[in-house]
Amino acid sequence: MNLLFQQQQKHVNGVMKTIASQMNRLEKEASQRQSDVMNIRKHFWDEVKVNTDTFDDFLETIIGLRQEAQALAVSQSTHQHAAKRLDVLQRMQNIPYFGRIDFTEQGHSATEQIYIGISSLMDEGGEDFLIYDWRAPISSVYYDYQPGPAQYKTPEGIIYGQLEKKWQYLIRAGELQSMFDTSLTIGDEILQQVLGKGTDKYMHSIVATIQQEQNRIIRHDKGRLLVVHGAAGSGKTSAAMQRVAYLLYKYRDSLNAEQIILFSPNAMFNSYVSNVLPELGEENMQQVTFQEYLNHRLSKEFQIENPYDQLEYLLTTMDTATRVAAIQFKASVRFFEVIKSYKESLGLSGMLFQDIMFRQKSIVTAKEIAAHFYSYETSLKFHHRLEKTKNWLLTQVKEFEKREWSRPWVEDEIELLSNEEYHKAYVYLAKKKGFNRDSVTDYEMEPKMLARLLVHQKLKPLKKRIAALHFIDMKGIYQQLFTDTALMQKLLEERLPLMWEAICQITVDTLEEDKLFYEDATPFLLMKELIQGFQTNLSIKHIFIDEAQDYSPFQFEFIKRLFPIAKMTVLGDFNQAIFTHASGVVNFDVLQHLYGQEEMEVINLAQSYRSTKPIIEFTRQLIPQGEHIIPFDRDGEQPVVTQVANEEELHLDIKAKVEELKGLGYQSIAIICQSAAESKHAYEALTAIEDIILLKNSSPKYEQGVVVIPAYLAKGIEFEAVIIYNASVYRDESVRRLFYTACTRAMHCLQLYSVGQPSSFLQKE
């Protein structure tokens, strides 16, 4: 062991000693604070003298309560802070730091050694930094520069200087295993070791190997929109999660995890990335799928198809031409403009309403509501006319209510009241007349008052629906777009889409069953919001959208309107755009349209790290312009394509391959199928494989081991070894990207099987 290595181990030992000392102090502090919290809770009311005899006594009681509550809040906050810091220090016990820069600031002669880790660490005196947080301004030099002139941004301005040296360390449990003096791309040596290892059921944060382009993403702070377009395995999602951690660090006084939301592909993916932020000592932000939001807003009115059911239908149904045409039109910017124009045209004609009914009796007909709505001057804003119509309807119901007081049905309902219901009505009316609890028995209830109360209660749900604008026939209004060809022709201002009559037929038929195709859900909700007024969320400050190539213009527009003050980070890969609506999309122009060029920055990640060089060289041939994807120089076995005669041979070969891979030490092995239907079939045929797991759209979390999974669910997840169940089914151009997505999940080993002739995508030109 050379002298330099010994000196660095001595430095590690000193840092470990400081970590242990601070942990010891924090453990005592956390224990004491926990005891304080329990003590305050136990004796809370002992410390407060409750007296409400006079106003002064009452005021004194309130002040006492407030003081005790504040003391409890302070103790709880201090305990939480100590526990959180203790958690970070426990992680630092394993890897205290991973890098160092020797930096000479301009105008200074002394060179400072800056050690970088997952969190900052001060010396025992609290005067000097032993370790800088990887998110600190000076740490950006580690990621962005090779030895030579360097600079970094601080709130006070730019600091210039000279980067003398850059070191990388591999430390585990306080033992220095290796160190590198590097002027190469950051992380090459350590990155080789990290990527060469296995994976588990969670994505992990590897801040030691952040690349320069990834660092740009993490620290980006200009404009409202950051678009990250990156190849499969380029680290988009990892950089996004680290960006969340960076934002929470930089804006810790004005931003918390609850003000950040991640739109992710599915619940399984949410579970897969759930460990990254806690590893960095931060709370997880809100995670939701767009489908969950659609369900939240529309599931009371419709049964909504989810995107995977839509894709499954297209993958497993023979005649899909009409559906494909419908999806492509309804997800287009053209249809988005139609919806906006349609809403404007409704100000002149076309609004549909529902009869206001009570006990199978019409109070106001739909035709009367329409006549009233259009009786207002068109100069009056649309939502004001709706508001006036709503108030008019409530007045009509009020008049109707008075007429119902003496109807025979009211007397019948009174006689059917239970003793409990009668007593509740009696007490309510007595209190309304001014009788208190002690004198309520003196009240003599008049029959007509009980009749009025009963009618009022019966009409309450109807009034509530009117107040919520449920008298508008939203389904009919949307349906009108597909039943009135002249209207659509006028709104489009161009030729109708191909197969228009067939599109109209399947749309109307589905709506009649109170169902919504996935491609209709967002346009319908956008239309509904434009008519009724948008529900906005002003508390969210940052939005992250992963797998953004799978979002339609409608969804982007809707998210922007829903979170009007939020900044947005969008991550995607056009080569993995597996949904039909994305077949014609080659860029994120729609985002530029929404935010403007000056508010938008695009960062491209061309280098792929997940897979070995042979796997990347194999998979990039599957897509147009794949030559632009740059493989990281990590050696490995060539992918293998094996042709089998039939399914029986296929299943025998897969079982043998899984055993072979297990013998090599692989713990995450994915058997990737084209669809859920094929996955179910494969799983049932391979149940002899020990502990095999079938992953479905409904699976709440990602399970590690030998899994059978549809290609579209595997997106965003990586596996040590991938077996493509049957490559011969990937023949049509529409599934090329799905095939590419499936193959790029492999880190170390890619085995493809083909029953009969392999996919044409595997034929080299």
Side-chain angles (χ1 to χ4, degrees):
M1 189 182 291
N2 63 38
L3 181 61
L4 180 60
F5 197 93
Q6 289 176 340
Q7 288 173 341
Q8 286 304 305
Q9 181 62 61
K10 188 177 178 183
H11 184 268
V12 173
N13 295 343
V15 169
M16 295 297 289
K17 188 177 177 182
T18 302
I19 291 172
S21 171
Q22 291 191 14
M23 282 181 67
N24 185 48
R25 189 179 70 249
L26 276 170
E27 281 167 355
K28 289 177 182 175
E29 184 182 327
S31 177
Q32 180 60 50
R33 287 298 179 183
Q34 189 174 23
S35 176
D36 290 346
V37 168
M38 291 173 68
N39 192 51
I40 292 171
R41 284 175 176 168
K42 188 177 179 181
H43 300 289
F44 188 92
W45 293 105
D46 298 345
E47 303 298 323
V48 179
K49 183 183 176 185
V50 179
N51 191 339
T52 59
D53 292 345
T54 68
F55 178 75
D56 287 344
D57 292 334
F58 177 72
L59 193 60
E60 189 177 334
T61 299
I62 294 297
I63 292 169
L65 280 167
R66 185 175 294 170
Q67 287 172 341
E68 283 301 304
Q70 284 175 341
L72 178 61
V74 168
S75 291
Q76 284 177 324
S77 176
T78 308
H79 173 255
Q80 287 167 0
H81 182 76
K84 187 177 177 182
R85 180 59 183 167
L86 192 57
D87 187 50
V88 171
L89 288 172
Q90 283 169 344
R91 282 196 293 278
M92 291 178 76
Q93 266 194 318
N94 186 40
I95 307 174
Y97 53 86
F98 51 78
R100 187 187 103 196
I101 54 173
D102 296 352
F103 186 75
T104 308
E105 189 177 329
Q106 195 176 77
H108 294 72
S109 56
T111 299
E112 191 177 357
Q113 293 183 343
I114 308 291
Y115 288 87
I116 298 164
I118 64 163
S119 182
S120 297
L121 181 73
M122 304 288 287
D123 63 13
E124 285 297 290
E127 294 179 359
D128 295 315
F129 280 97
L130 296 178
I131 302 171
Y132 283 83
D133 192 297
W134 66 278
R135 298 164 290 186
I138 195 169
S139 300
S140 65
V141 173
Y142 174 76
Y143 299 111
D144 288 344
Y145 292 96
Q146 297 177 5
Q151 63 186 61
Y152 63 94
K153 269 186 193 174
T154 73
E156 289 75 35
I158 297 174
I159 304 296
Y160 298 93
Q162 189 79 9
L163 175 58
E164 311 292 349
K165 279 189 177 180
K166 183 161 64 176
W167 293 87
Q168 290 176 281
Y169 300 96
L170 191 62
I171 304 169
R172 294 295 180 269
E175 290 295 320
L176 179 61
Q177 296 181 359
S178 55
M179 56 185 287
F180 309 95
D181 176 4
T182 177
S183 58
L184 303 172
T185 303
I186 194 69
D188 273 5
E189 292 87 350
I190 291 179
L191 192 53
Q192 287 280 8
Q193 295 183 45
V194 168
L195 295 173
K197 291 184 178 179
T199 182
D200 65 21
K201 65 188 289 185
Y202 298 113
M203 174 186 278
H204 291 282
S205 174
I206 313 169
V207 292
T209 56
I210 293 169
Q211 307 297 291
Q212 187 174 353
E213 283 303 298
Q214 293 167 342
N215 195 44
R216 276 184 66 206
I217 296 164
I218 292 163
R219 295 173 190 263
H220 181 271
D221 213 5
K222 296 179 288 186
R224 283 193 61 193
L225 174 66
L226 171 63
V227 175
V228 180
H229 181 242
S234 58
K236 298 182 296 295
T237 301
S238 181
M241 302 301 283
Q242 288 156 344
R243 173 161 167 73
V244 174
Y246 172 75
L247 292 169
L248 290 170
Y249 172 85
K250 183 173 181 181
Y251 299 105
R252 51 194 175 277
D253 294 332
S254 59
L255 182 69
N256 60 57
E258 291 180 355
Q259 294 170 311
I260 303 174
I261 193 164
L262 167 67
F263 281 95
S264 61
N266 51 60
M268 193 169 67
F269 181 85
N270 285 345
S271 116
Y272 180 62
V273 301
S274 63
N275 210 42
V276 177
L277 287 169
E279 275 189 356
L280 297 171
E282 300 292 352
E283 291 178 31
N284 261 322
M285 68 285 180
Q286 298 182 64
Q287 291 172 247
V288 68
T289 66
F290 196 79
Q291 181 68 25
E292 285 171 338
Y293 184 75
L294 290 175
N295 288 340
H296 169 67
R297 295 298 308 279
L298 295 173
S299 61
K300 289 179 182 177
E301 303 164 60
F302 298 100
Q303 181 184 329
I304 308 167
E305 179 187 51
N306 69 53
Y308 299 119
D309 285 343
Q310 181 201 73
L311 188 58
E312 194 70 23
Y313 173 86
L314 295 172
L315 289 171
T316 57
T317 307
M318 294 297 291
D319 185 12
T320 61
T322 301
R323 190 72 195 277
V324 168
I327 292 167
Q328 290 179 343
F329 172 65
K330 292 172 183 176
S332 68
V333 176
R334 277 204 304 163
F335 192 46
F336 168 64
E337 294 299 332
V338 163
I339 295 288
K340 288 205 300 185
S341 300
Y342 184 35
K343 186 266 172 178
E344 293 305 314
S345 75
L346 291 173
L348 298 173
S349 65
M351 276 293 284
L352 300 176
F353 300 95
Q354 295 176 336
D355 293 345
I356 305 298
M357 303 288 293
F358 181 72
R359 293 177 61 85
Q360 280 128 16
K361 188 190 295 183
S362 176
I363 301 174
V364 188
T365 66
K367 194 175 280 189
E368 287 170 333
I369 301 171
H372 190 86
F373 175 80
Y374 286 113
S375 70
Y376 295 114
E377 290 290 331
T378 53
S379 58
L380 194 65
K381 286 186 176 177
F382 189 91
H383 71 274
H384 286 152
R385 292 159 75 186
L386 267 184
E387 190 70 18
K388 282 180 171 289
T389 303
K390 177 191 80 176
N391 293 335
W392 172 75
L393 280 174
L394 290 171
T395 302
Q396 298 304 302
V397 172
K398 200 170 182 182
E399 292 299 319
F400 173 80
E401 184 178 333
K402 291 176 184 176
R403 295 195 296 272
E404 292 296 291
W405 289 344
S406 57
R407 302 288 187 201
W409 71 266
V410 181
E411 204 169 309
D412 294 341
E413 288 284 343
I414 290 173
E415 287 186 14
L416 291 172
L417 288 174
S418 67
N419 288 337
E420 185 185 350
E421 289 169 334
Y422 187 88
H423 179 69
K424 275 177 79 174
Y426 175 84
V427 171
Y428 173 80
L429 289 169
K431 285 183 177 177
K432 204 171 177 186
K433 283 290 185 181
F435 290 86
N436 58 33
R437 189 169 53 186
D438 297 327
S439 62
V440 72
T441 52
D442 297 334
Y443 172 64
E444 290 185 17
M445 184 166 62
E446 299 174 55
K448 68 176 183 180
M449 295 306 293
L450 181 57
R452 290 180 181 184
L453 176 62
L454 188 139
V455 174
H456 179 77
Q457 292 297 331
K458 292 287 183 183
L459 281 166
K460 212 170 185 179
L462 180 61
K463 292 175 186 174
K464 198 172 178 180
R465 289 198 298 274
I466 292 169
L469 303 179
H470 289 171
F471 59 90
I472 303 171
D473 182 6
M474 288 294 177
K475 185 172 85 170
I477 294 170
Y478 188 71
Q479 216 167 24
Q480 205 163 228
L481 285 169
F482 302 94
T483 55
D484 188 339
T485 302
L487 170 66
M488 179 58 80
Q489 184 76 67
K490 183 181 176 184
L491 293 170
L492 263 176
E493 297 180 348
E494 56 183 85
R495 194 172 57 191
L496 289 168
L498 294 172
M499 308 184 74
W500 180 244
E501 286 185 15
I503 290 172
C504 291
Q505 190 63 56
I506 63 168
T507 305
V508 171
D509 289 349
T510 307
L511 285 166
E512 284 298 329
E513 295 176 10
D514 289 329
K515 293 178 181 177
L516 272 180
F517 284 135
Y518 181 66
E519 62 268 23
D520 284 303
T522 313
F524 180 90
L525 189 53
L526 180 65
M527 183 201 76
K528 183 178 180 181
E529 294 281 81
L530 287 170
I531 291 169
Q532 292 187 343
F534 251 86
Q535 295 186 21
T536 57
N537 185 324
L538 299 177
S539 66
I540 299 298
K541 294 183 178 179
H542 283 270
I543 301 162
F544 287 76
I545 300 179
D546 207 351
E547 305 295 353
Q549 73 279 353
D550 294 335
Y551 283 68
S552 72
F554 274 101
Q555 290 166 322
F556 282 125
E557 172 72 19
F558 196 85
I559 289 169
K560 184 197 171 191
R561 284 173 174 263
L562 182 61
F563 306 105
I565 67 167
K567 291 185 175 181
M568 189 185 287
T569 300
V570 166
L571 311 125
D573 176 13
F574 305 125
N575 291 317
Q576 296 182 70
I578 61 174
F579 289 100
T580 300
H581 68 247
S583 62
V585 177
V586 292
N587 52 44
F588 287 132
D589 279 353
V590 65
L591 291 170
Q592 185 175 321
H593 163 73
L594 291 177
Y595 285 92
Q597 184 65 51
E598 65 285 349
E599 287 288 332
M600 174 177 170
E601 183 169 347
V602 179
I603 296 176
N604 289 297
L605 298 177
Q607 187 151 40
S608 181
Y609 300 95
R610 174 187 298 132
S611 309
T612 60
K613 188 174 182 180
I615 291 175
I616 294 172
E617 288 176 339
F618 175 86
T619 56
R620 68 182 183 179
Q621 294 178 63
L622 302 176
I623 50 170
Q625 300 183 320
E627 67 276 6
H628 296 305
I629 298 169
I630 304 166
F632 182 71
D633 194 12
R634 181 165 67 88
D635 201 16
E637 297 296 318
Q638 288 289 339
V640 176
V641 181
T642 303
Q643 187 172 334
V644 294
N646 52 48
E647 283 198 348
E648 185 180 355
E649 187 182 340
L650 170 69
H651 297 142
L652 286 171
D653 275 22
I654 289 177
K655 288 171 191 173
K657 187 65 182 178
V658 169
E659 289 308 311
E660 179 192 328
L661 292 168
K662 283 182 174 179
L664 292 170
Y666 292 134
Q667 294 181 24
S668 69
I669 302 166
I671 300 164
I672 301 183
C673 303
Q674 188 187 72
S675 64
E678 189 181 65
S679 296
K680 185 172 183 290
H681 173 71
Y683 173 74
E684 289 169 352
L686 298 169
T687 49
I689 296 173
E690 188 180 356
D691 298 328
I692 192 168
I693 301 164
L694 175 63
L695 292 176
K696 299 179 283 189
N697 179 36
S698 57
S699 300
K701 60 182 180 179
Y702 168 63
E703 299 286 350
Q704 192 187 21
V706 181
V707 302
V708 182
I709 185 171
Y712 52 78
L713 275 188
K715 189 157 51 163
I717 301 173
E718 57 190 27
F719 306 92
E720 291 168 283
V722 163
I723 296 170
I724 301 297
Y725 177 72
N726 185 4
S728 68
V729 299
Y730 299 90
R731 296 190 174 280
D732 190 81
E733 189 63 31
S734 65
V735 294
R736 179 192 285 272
R737 290 163 172 166
L738 189 65
F739 187 41
Y740 170 77
T741 300
C743 294
T744 55
R745 302 306 93 204
M747 295 174 68
H748 313 307
C749 175
L750 175 60
Q751 167 72 56
L752 301 94
Y753 288 99
S754 177
V755 181
Q757 189 67 28
S759 165
S760 59
F761 303 138
L762 295 173
Q763 313 299 319
K764 292 185 180 179
E765 294 178 4

PDB file of all heavy atoms in Angstrom, residues 624-639:
ATOM      1  N   PRO A 624     -34.559   3.507 -36.727  1.00  0.00           N
ATOM      2  CA  PRO A 624     -33.962   4.483 -37.645  1.00  0.00           C
ATOM      3  C   PRO A 624     -33.046   5.437 -36.878  1.00  0.00           C
ATOM      4  O   PRO A 624     -33.335   5.807 -35.738  1.00  0.00           O
ATOM      5  CB  PRO A 624     -35.174   5.231 -38.212  1.00  0.00           C
ATOM      6  CG  PRO A 624     -36.351   4.353 -37.940  1.00  0.00           C
ATOM      7  CD  PRO A 624     -36.027   3.595 -36.698  1.00  0.00           C
ATOM      8  N   GLN A 625     -31.932   5.799 -37.461  1.00  0.00           N
ATOM      9  CA  GLN A 625     -30.962   6.738 -36.895  1.00  0.00           C
ATOM     10  C   GLN A 625     -30.412   6.264 -35.542  1.00  0.00           C
ATOM     11  O   GLN A 625     -29.971   7.065 -34.718  1.00  0.00           O
ATOM     12  CB  GLN A 625     -31.589   8.137 -36.751  1.00  0.00           C
ATOM     13  CG  GLN A 625     -32.044   8.708 -38.093  1.00  0.00           C
ATOM     14  CD  GLN A 625     -32.587  10.117 -37.967  1.00  0.00           C
ATOM     15  OE1 GLN A 625     -33.294  10.431 -37.014  1.00  0.00           O
ATOM     16  NE2 GLN A 625     -32.262  10.965 -38.928  1.00  0.00           N
ATOM     17  N   GLY A 626     -30.423   4.956 -35.361  1.00  0.00           N
ATOM     18  CA  GLY A 626     -29.879   4.403 -34.124  1.00  0.00           C
ATOM     19  C   GLY A 626     -28.386   4.628 -33.977  1.00  0.00           C
ATOM     20  O   GLY A 626     -27.842   4.543 -32.880  1.00  0.00           O
ATOM     21  N   GLU A 627     -27.725   4.928 -35.106  1.00  0.00           N
ATOM     22  CA  GLU A 627     -26.275   5.154 -35.047  1.00  0.00           C
ATOM     23  C   GLU A 627     -25.895   6.360 -34.198  1.00  0.00           C
ATOM     24  O   GLU A 627     -24.738   6.520 -33.784  1.00  0.00           O
ATOM     25  CB  GLU A 627     -25.694   5.313 -36.462  1.00  0.00           C
ATOM     26  CG  GLU A 627     -26.121   6.567 -37.216  1.00  0.00           C
ATOM     27  CD  GLU A 627     -27.465   6.437 -37.932  1.00  0.00           C
ATOM     28  OE1 GLU A 627     -28.141   5.404 -37.753  1.00  0.00           O
ATOM     29  OE2 GLU A 627     -27.841   7.374 -38.662  1.00  0.00           O
ATOM     30  N   HIS A 628     -26.882   7.225 -33.904  1.00  0.00           N
ATOM     31  CA  HIS A 628     -26.597   8.402 -33.073  1.00  0.00           C
ATOM     32  C   HIS A 628     -26.479   8.046 -31.587  1.00  0.00           C
ATOM     33  O   HIS A 628     -26.026   8.866 -30.788  1.00  0.00           O
ATOM     34  CB  HIS A 628     -27.697   9.455 -33.257  1.00  0.00           C
ATOM     35  CG  HIS A 628     -27.775  10.007 -34.650  1.00  0.00           C
ATOM     36  ND1 HIS A 628     -26.698  10.579 -35.280  1.00  0.00           N
ATOM     37  CD2 HIS A 628     -28.793  10.046 -35.548  1.00  0.00           C
ATOM     38  CE1 HIS A 628     -27.046  10.963 -36.498  1.00  0.00           C
ATOM     39  NE2 HIS A 628     -28.316  10.640 -36.688  1.00  0.00           N
ATOM     40  N   ILE A 629     -26.909   6.839 -31.220  1.00  0.00           N
ATOM     41  CA  ILE A 629     -26.802   6.410 -29.819  1.00  0.00           C
ATOM     42  C   ILE A 629     -25.373   5.944 -29.569  1.00  0.00           C
ATOM     43  O   ILE A 629     -24.835   5.099 -30.288  1.00  0.00           O
ATOM     44  CB  ILE A 629     -27.798   5.267 -29.514  1.00  0.00           C
ATOM     45  CG1 ILE A 629     -29.232   5.768 -29.737  1.00  0.00           C
ATOM     46  CG2 ILE A 629     -27.630   4.761 -28.084  1.00  0.00           C
ATOM     47  CD1 ILE A 629     -30.277   4.665 -29.719  1.00  0.00           C
ATOM     48  N   ILE A 630     -24.742   6.503 -28.539  1.00  0.00           N
ATOM     49  CA  ILE A 630     -23.342   6.209 -28.242  1.00  0.00           C
ATOM     50  C   ILE A 630     -23.262   5.223 -27.077  1.00  0.00           C
ATOM     51  O   ILE A 630     -23.729   5.516 -25.973  1.00  0.00           O
ATOM     52  CB  ILE A 630     -22.574   7.505 -27.864  1.00  0.00           C
ATOM     53  CG1 ILE A 630     -22.718   8.544 -28.983  1.00  0.00           C
ATOM     54  CG2 ILE A 630     -21.117   7.202 -27.575  1.00  0.00           C
ATOM     55  CD1 ILE A 630     -22.295   9.937 -28.569  1.00  0.00           C
ATOM     56  N   PRO A 631     -22.675   4.042 -27.301  1.00  0.00           N
ATOM     57  CA  PRO A 631     -22.583   3.081 -26.198  1.00  0.00           C
ATOM     58  C   PRO A 631     -21.452   3.433 -25.239  1.00  0.00           C
ATOM     59  O   PRO A 631     -20.404   3.930 -25.659  1.00  0.00           O
ATOM     60  CB  PRO A 631     -22.308   1.757 -26.915  1.00  0.00           C
ATOM     61  CG  PRO A 631     -21.663   2.130 -28.205  1.00  0.00           C
ATOM     62  CD  PRO A 631     -22.174   3.499 -28.572  1.00  0.00           C
ATOM     63  N   PHE A 632     -21.675   3.182 -23.960  1.00  0.00           N
ATOM     64  CA  PHE A 632     -20.597   3.296 -22.974  1.00  0.00           C
ATOM     65  C   PHE A 632     -19.704   2.068 -23.152  1.00  0.00           C
ATOM     66  O   PHE A 632     -20.182   0.964 -23.409  1.00  0.00           O
ATOM     67  CB  PHE A 632     -21.189   3.341 -21.561  1.00  0.00           C
ATOM     68  CG  PHE A 632     -20.151   3.506 -20.481  1.00  0.00           C
ATOM     69  CD1 PHE A 632     -19.485   4.712 -20.332  1.00  0.00           C
ATOM     70  CD2 PHE A 632     -19.843   2.462 -19.626  1.00  0.00           C
ATOM     71  CE1 PHE A 632     -18.531   4.876 -19.340  1.00  0.00           C
ATOM     72  CE2 PHE A 632     -18.894   2.615 -18.635  1.00  0.00           C
ATOM     73  CZ  PHE A 632     -18.232   3.825 -18.490  1.00  0.00           C
ATOM     74  N   ASP A 633     -18.410   2.272 -23.032  1.00  0.00           N
ATOM     75  CA  ASP A 633     -17.452   1.220 -23.360  1.00  0.00           C
ATOM     76  C   ASP A 633     -17.370   0.178 -22.239  1.00  0.00           C
ATOM     77  O   ASP A 633     -16.420   0.149 -21.459  1.00  0.00           O
ATOM     78  CB  ASP A 633     -16.081   1.835 -23.637  1.00  0.00           C
ATOM     79  CG  ASP A 633     -15.143   0.840 -24.306  1.00  0.00           C
ATOM     80  OD1 ASP A 633     -15.638  -0.221 -24.737  1.00  0.00           O
ATOM     81  OD2 ASP A 633     -13.936   1.124 -24.383  1.00  0.00           O
ATOM     82  N   ARG A 634     -18.392  -0.678 -22.176  1.00  0.00           N
ATOM     83  CA  ARG A 634     -18.407  -1.770 -21.186  1.00  0.00           C
ATOM     84  C   ARG A 634     -18.609  -3.067 -21.950  1.00  0.00           C
ATOM     85  O   ARG A 634     -19.627  -3.257 -22.612  1.00  0.00           O
ATOM     86  CB  ARG A 634     -19.528  -1.548 -20.168  1.00  0.00           C
ATOM     87  CG  ARG A 634     -19.596  -2.619 -19.089  1.00  0.00           C
ATOM     88  CD  ARG A 634     -20.459  -2.168 -17.921  1.00  0.00           C
ATOM     89  NE  ARG A 634     -21.853  -2.023 -18.262  1.00  0.00           N
ATOM     90  CZ  ARG A 634     -22.759  -3.005 -18.205  1.00  0.00           C
ATOM     91  NH1 ARG A 634     -22.387  -4.219 -17.843  1.00  0.00           N
ATOM     92  NH2 ARG A 634     -24.020  -2.780 -18.508  1.00  0.00           N
ATOM     93  N   ASP A 635     -17.649  -3.939 -21.828  1.00  0.00           N
ATOM     94  CA  ASP A 635     -17.672  -5.162 -22.634  1.00  0.00           C
ATOM     95  C   ASP A 635     -18.671  -6.172 -22.075  1.00  0.00           C
ATOM     96  O   ASP A 635     -19.087  -6.088 -20.918  1.00  0.00           O
ATOM     97  CB  ASP A 635     -16.276  -5.779 -22.674  1.00  0.00           C
ATOM     98  CG  ASP A 635     -16.105  -6.718 -23.870  1.00  0.00           C
ATOM     99  OD1 ASP A 635     -16.948  -6.644 -24.789  1.00  0.00           O
ATOM    100  OD2 ASP A 635     -15.155  -7.510 -23.871  1.00  0.00           O
ATOM    101  N   GLY A 636     -19.054  -7.122 -22.905  1.00  0.00           N
ATOM    102  CA  GLY A 636     -19.989  -8.157 -22.490  1.00  0.00           C
ATOM    103  C   GLY A 636     -20.244  -9.124 -23.625  1.00  0.00           C
ATOM    104  O   GLY A 636     -19.654  -9.024 -24.709  1.00  0.00           O
ATOM    105  N   GLU A 637     -21.149 -10.077 -23.380  1.00  0.00           N
ATOM    106  CA  GLU A 637     -21.468 -11.093 -24.377  1.00  0.00           C
ATOM    107  C   GLU A 637     -22.374 -10.520 -25.471  1.00  0.00           C
ATOM    108  O   GLU A 637     -23.200  -9.654 -25.220  1.00  0.00           O
ATOM    109  CB  GLU A 637     -22.180 -12.273 -23.711  1.00  0.00           C
ATOM    110  CG  GLU A 637     -21.336 -13.013 -22.680  1.00  0.00           C
ATOM    111  CD  GLU A 637     -20.116 -13.678 -23.296  1.00  0.00           C
ATOM    112  OE1 GLU A 637     -20.254 -14.259 -24.392  1.00  0.00           O
ATOM    113  OE2 GLU A 637     -19.023 -13.578 -22.699  1.00  0.00           O
ATOM    114  N   GLN A 638     -22.218 -11.039 -26.673  1.00  0.00           N
ATOM    115  CA  GLN A 638     -23.077 -10.640 -27.786  1.00  0.00           C
ATOM    116  C   GLN A 638     -24.500 -11.160 -27.552  1.00  0.00           C
ATOM    117  O   GLN A 638     -24.682 -12.268 -27.042  1.00  0.00           O
ATOM    118  CB  GLN A 638     -22.549 -11.238 -29.098  1.00  0.00           C
ATOM    119  CG  GLN A 638     -21.281 -10.610 -29.614  1.00  0.00           C
ATOM    120  CD  GLN A 638     -21.498  -9.205 -30.151  1.00  0.00           C
ATOM    121  OE1 GLN A 638     -22.618  -8.818 -30.505  1.00  0.00           O
ATOM    122  NE2 GLN A 638     -20.424  -8.425 -30.201  1.00  0.00           N
ATOM    123  N   PRO A 639     -25.535 -10.387 -27.909  1.00  0.00           N
ATOM    124  CA  PRO A 639     -26.900 -10.913 -27.862  1.00  0.00           C
ATOM    125  C   PRO A 639     -27.024 -12.135 -28.777  1.00  0.00           C
ATOM    126  O   PRO A 639     -26.349 -12.210 -29.817  1.00  0.00           O
ATOM    127  CB  PRO A 639     -27.751  -9.751 -28.381  1.00  0.00           C
ATOM    128  CG  PRO A 639     -26.922  -8.533 -28.113  1.00  0.00           C
ATOM    129  CD  PRO A 639     -25.500  -8.971 -28.305  1.00  0.00           C
TER     130      PRO A 639
END
